[in-house]
């Protein structure tokens, strides 16, 4: 049986009890523009908010008097047992949160035995990340240029990375007005405003900014291409997103025929895309709106999940990300049929606050919430978490039949 105690003495940061506490603490540590880069969404942040509020529209109908003394949140995927149905989503430019942040995420996921996706926009070479966590998956921002894609896949094969996650919601750059207001741009420019922001956060300035410059120089997009990429301060011809708007389903078909490893598509929101991806033979898909960071006014990923699942054969696992902050969110997504969920911001907040122990604490909080809520729902294992345990809060069940006294009375 796993423990519901999330305050074990060996845990650092045990005074931080919930993911929200890490967000508040991260806000203090990080310069405003960096914190907002993490927290923010696009335009009016409608989708960012919807990702959270969607979970509140559905509540649980827990069962009682079930023997839940022996319970587990272990999940099996592709013949491997993971300790929990939570993984770390790809998060680019994490090097501005902590020096070597990608490496910390890789190490902590390896230790916790949960999935980890290397971002195509990450700053630590994927070869090193794959050594730190040999089960790392790689997320690609592929251009519609098969020669470029082949170079990356060759590099992945050489690094023994077996799973590609192709992000399909980023054909053009998003309208992130919050970043523009804070003068935070990629390529990164040291404007007076950003400089002021940095010097008013001296701990970050020393521990992250200065340390990074001294130890490894200006961070680079080391994993976006088949070879080392540009510095985050450098402009590239056509911009680093060049050619992404040409990527099509034909390219996915071609990639499927070329890539012998596992292929996952990330950013599926429409049931028709789910059907197409399944027909092409992907190994899994992630229902995601990029954490509200691409198309604003997209529906929440939680709302999109049931219709996506309806289009996909049971042999193809469906994952979800977007707005997961509590164990109860995880269990709601699983009740609707998700196999696993991923988180982007929470573990970056963990890294900001406490480097590896901070990330560990965030993962532990989620796992202990999952464990406790499994028990309170009357479930011993994840497969017991069925849709029957959910109810739309705004739409009470109206099929009340006074002759039906339920199966337990
Ligand atoms: C700072 C940051 C950077 C991100 N970078 C990437 C990326 O490089 N590739 C990608 O596919 N998604 C990226 N995402 C989106 C996440 O993978 C994920 O879809 C999203 O964060 C999930 O929402 P959550 O943050 O509410 O958990 C990023 C998200 C954040 C917050």
């Amino acid at each position: 049986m796993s423990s519901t105690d999330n305050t074990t003495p060996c845990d650092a940061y045990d005074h931080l009890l919930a993911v929200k506490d890490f967000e508040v603490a991260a806000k203090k540590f990080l310069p405003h523009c960096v914190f907002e880069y993490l927290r923010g969404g696009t335009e009016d942040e409608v989708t960012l908010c919807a990702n959270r509020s969607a979970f509140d529209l559905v509540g649980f109908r827990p069962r009682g008097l079930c023997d839940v003394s022996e319970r587990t949140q272990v999940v099996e995927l592709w013949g491997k047992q993971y300790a929990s149905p939570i993984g770390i989503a790809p998060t680019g430019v994490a090097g501005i949160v902590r020096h070597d942040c990608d490496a910390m995420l890789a190490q902590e996921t390896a230790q916790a035995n949960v999935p980890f996706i290397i971002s195509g926009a990450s700053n630590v070479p994927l070869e090193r990340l794959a050594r730190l966590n040999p089960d790392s998956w790689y997320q690609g921002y592929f251009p519609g240029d098969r020669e470029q894609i082949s170079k990356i896949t060759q590099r992945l094969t050489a690094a023994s990375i077996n799973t590609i996650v192709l992000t399909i919601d980023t054909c053009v750059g998003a309208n992130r007005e919050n970043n523009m207001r804070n003068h935070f741009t990629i390529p990164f420019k040291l404007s007076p405003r950003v400089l002021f922001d940095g010097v008013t956060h001296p701990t970050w300035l020393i521990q992250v900014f200065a340390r990074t410059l001294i130890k490894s120089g200006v961070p680079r997009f080391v994993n976006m291409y088949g070879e080392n990429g540009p510095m985050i301060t450098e402009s590239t011809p056509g911009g680093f997103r060049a050619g992404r708007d040409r990527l099509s389903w034909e390219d996915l078909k071609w990639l499927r025929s070329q890539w012998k490893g596992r292929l996952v598509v990330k950013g599926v929101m429409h049931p028709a895309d789910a059907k197409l991806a399944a027909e092409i033979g992907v190994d899994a898909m992630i229902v995601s709106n990029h954490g509200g960071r691409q198309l604003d006014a997209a529906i929440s990923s939680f709302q999109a999940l049931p219709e996506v699942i309806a289009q996909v054969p049971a042999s193809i696992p469906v994952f979800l990300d977007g707005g997961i902050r509590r164990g109860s969110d995880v269990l709601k997504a699983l009740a609707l049929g998700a196999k696993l969920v991923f988180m982007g911001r929470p573990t970056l907040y963990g890294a900001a606050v406490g480097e590896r122990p901070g990330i560990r604490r965030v993962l532990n909080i989620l796992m202990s919430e999952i464990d406790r809520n499994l028990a309170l729902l009357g479930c011993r294992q994840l497969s017991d978490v069925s849709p029957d345990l959910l109810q739309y809060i705004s739409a009470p069940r109206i099929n009340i039949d006074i002759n039906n006294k339920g199966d337990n009375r």
Side-chain angles (χ1 to χ4, degrees), residues 89-92 119 139 141 167 266 288 290 293 321 323 325 344-345:
T91 46
S119 162
Q139 174 266 324
Y141 279 133
T167 295
K266 173 175 185 282
S288 168
H290 217 105
R293 295 164 78 84
D321 76 24
R325 299 293 181 271
R345 294 173 181 89

Side-chain angles (χ1 to χ4, degrees), residues 306-387:
E307 284 195 68
V308 166
I309 287 191
Q311 293 299 324
V312 178
S315 55
I316 302 180
V318 175
F319 314 136
L320 170 137
D321 76 24
I324 298 281
R325 299 293 181 271
R326 287 282 187 189
S328 53
D329 304 332
V330 179
L331 294 176
K332 286 175 187 177
L334 266 55
L336 288 188
K339 180 82 180 172
L340 290 172
V341 302
F342 289 90
M343 298 176 292
R345 294 173 181 89
T347 35
L348 288 182
Y349 295 145
V353 174
E355 300 193 316
R356 284 187 63 181
I359 298 167
R360 192 176 316 150
R361 175 75 179 140
V362 167
L363 291 173
N364 283 344
I365 286 173
L366 264 294
M367 287 187 209
S368 75
E369 288 179 355
I370 292 169
D371 177 62
R372 181 184 296 105
N373 289 338
L374 268 180
L376 292 173
L377 281 169
C379 298
R380 276 188 290 268
Q381 57 207 357
L382 299 178
S383 57
D384 296 342
V385 184
S386 62

